[in-house]
Amino acid sequence: MPGAPLRRMAAARSHRKQAPIVPPANVAGHALILVIAIMTFLSCLTLGAVTLVRDTAAMWQTQIAREATVQIKPIEGLDMEAALASAQRVAASFPGVRQARIVERDATIRLLEPWLGTGFDINELPVPRLVIVTIDPANPPDFAALRQAVIGEVPQATLDDHRTWVDRLIAMANTTVTIGFSVLVLMLVATVLAIVFATRGAMSGNGHIIEVLHFVGAEAGFIAGQFRRHFLLTGMKGAAGGGIAAIIVFIGFSWWSSWNLATPEADQATALFGNFAIGSAGYIGVALVVLLIGALTAVTSHVTVVSYLGDIDPSHNA
């Protein structure tokens, strides 16, 4: 039949896969994936560090707010043990105080050993003795009245409720969190700029195709959709790689902290930063950063393409 070859050719053309406007893989695409992965990795590290500082500061604040300290300075003729017992009795009987505990001589000596070494006689040094007062967080005491009561019983005593340290700690934590989020915003801006330049480069390499499609009547939404789909996939690949790398780093630090709990280095790091675990909120934040960077990639490419089409045809209406 004479029409059979034409029908076969038409069927072959209908089953032929359409080539995308933007090449699915090229040097620029691989470079952009690497750039997005690096920026996502740094952004996730920044977010994790901010989360760690915020959680650690909250832990410090809670621990400090739960305790106050009565300090008794030794003077000549003072019966230190009797003074400690009196201060403990007054503090323990005060409303809002759960417990008052004397720091024993041996415990005081152990606290001073890192600075004074071993074998010294604490009685020969003007070392103050401490009473640790545990506060009821739900019903804290009147610290001014507690201070007056303790001083009235033991004039050499002073009460430190750590409010100055708490205020400084909160200010430091808020400053650190603000700086961290500022760095995170700058990294996202740098990522958007990298996407804009990559999209411009991709359009420059395929500008003749875009112009032909535009002037033969292709909808701007179709052209922009091709670029948006391509760069969304590119952005998600890079963001997912950077996010996974950041999670591996967080897990590695947490494992190292747990594995080296008995070492002095780990003890100091744990005292400052906890156990390096960012918790579920941190991992959710990493996932949100990945999704945000992927969405920014798609939106930025769409806006750039529409702007490019507007430059080609000023009468174009996106």
Side-chain angles (χ1 to χ4, degrees):
M1 299 177 61
L6 294 177
R7 286 195 297 271
R8 284 195 298 269
M9 292 175 61
R13 283 195 297 267
S14 64
H15 288 87
R16 186 181 302 165
K17 185 177 180 180
Q18 295 181 353
I21 297 176
V22 184
N26 52 30
V27 175
H30 293 319
L32 180 60
I33 290 176
L34 181 60
V35 169
I36 293 176
I38 293 173
M39 299 304 294
T40 305
F41 175 73
L42 296 176
S43 299
C44 291
L45 285 185
T46 303
L47 180 63
V50 169
T51 302
L52 189 63
V53 170
R54 184 195 62 190
D55 294 343
T56 304
M59 178 185 67
W60 287 350
Q61 181 180 352
T62 301
Q63 291 177 348
I64 293 175
R66 281 192 303 212
E67 289 186 349
T69 304
V70 176
Q71 176 179 282
I72 301 177
K73 298 179 180 180
I75 61 174
E76 186 177 357
L78 175 65
D79 187 349
M80 180 60 74
E81 298 301 327
L84 289 170
S86 299
Q88 179 192 26
R89 184 183 66 258
V90 172
S93 62
F94 206 85
V97 174
R98 287 184 173 179
Q99 181 186 12
R101 177 177 56 87
I102 298 175
V103 179
E104 301 295 339
R105 286 169 50 87
D106 294 340
T108 304
I109 292 173
R110 286 194 298 270
L111 290 174
L112 296 175
E113 282 180 355
W115 292 273
L116 301 180
T118 58
F120 62 90
D121 187 359
I122 193 174
N123 294 325
E124 297 179 356
L125 300 174
V127 177
R129 298 288 300 277
L130 303 177
V131 177
I132 305 300
V133 180
T134 304
I135 305 301
D136 184 1
N139 183 29
D142 183 348
F143 287 104
L146 176 59
R147 182 177 291 105
Q148 292 298 326
V150 172
I151 294 176
E153 185 71 21
V154 183
Q156 298 79 13
T158 58
L159 176 67
D160 184 5
D161 58 4
H162 310 303
R163 279 182 291 185
T164 302
W165 288 101
V166 171
D167 293 339
R168 292 178 180 177
L169 180 62
I170 293 175
M172 181 193 70
N174 291 338
T175 302
T176 304
V177 170
T178 301
I179 294 174
F181 276 116
S182 300
V183 173
L184 180 61
V185 170
L186 291 176
M187 289 181 179
L188 293 178
V189 171
T191 305
V192 171
L193 293 177
I195 295 167
V196 170
F197 292 135
T199 308
R200 286 284 184 178
M203 286 186 299
S204 297
N206 301 274
H208 59 287
I209 301 176
I210 297 175
E211 292 180 6
V212 170
L213 289 173
H214 175 68
F215 287 116
V216 300
E219 294 288 339
F222 168 78
I223 302 174
Q226 295 293 315
F227 279 88
R228 183 174 63 248
R229 189 178 304 110
H230 170 78
F231 282 96
L232 175 61
L233 182 60
T234 300
M236 290 305 298
K237 286 181 180 179
I244 292 172
I247 290 175
I248 292 174
V249 170
F250 293 142
I251 294 175
F253 272 117
S254 180
W255 176 83
W256 177 86
S257 177
S258 301
W259 185 263
N260 297 277
L261 282 177
T263 62
E265 296 83 0
D267 290 341
Q268 293 178 4
T270 302
L272 288 175
F273 303 107
N275 59 357
F276 286 98
I278 61 175
S280 58
Y283 291 111
I284 292 175
V286 170
L288 291 178
V289 168
V290 171
L291 295 177
L292 177 62
I293 290 181
L296 284 175
T297 307
V299 172
T300 303
S301 63
H302 177 85
V303 173
T304 306
V305 171
V306 171
S307 175
Y308 182 84
L309 292 174
D311 294 338
I312 295 176
D313 185 3
S315 63
H316 162 71
N317 184 8

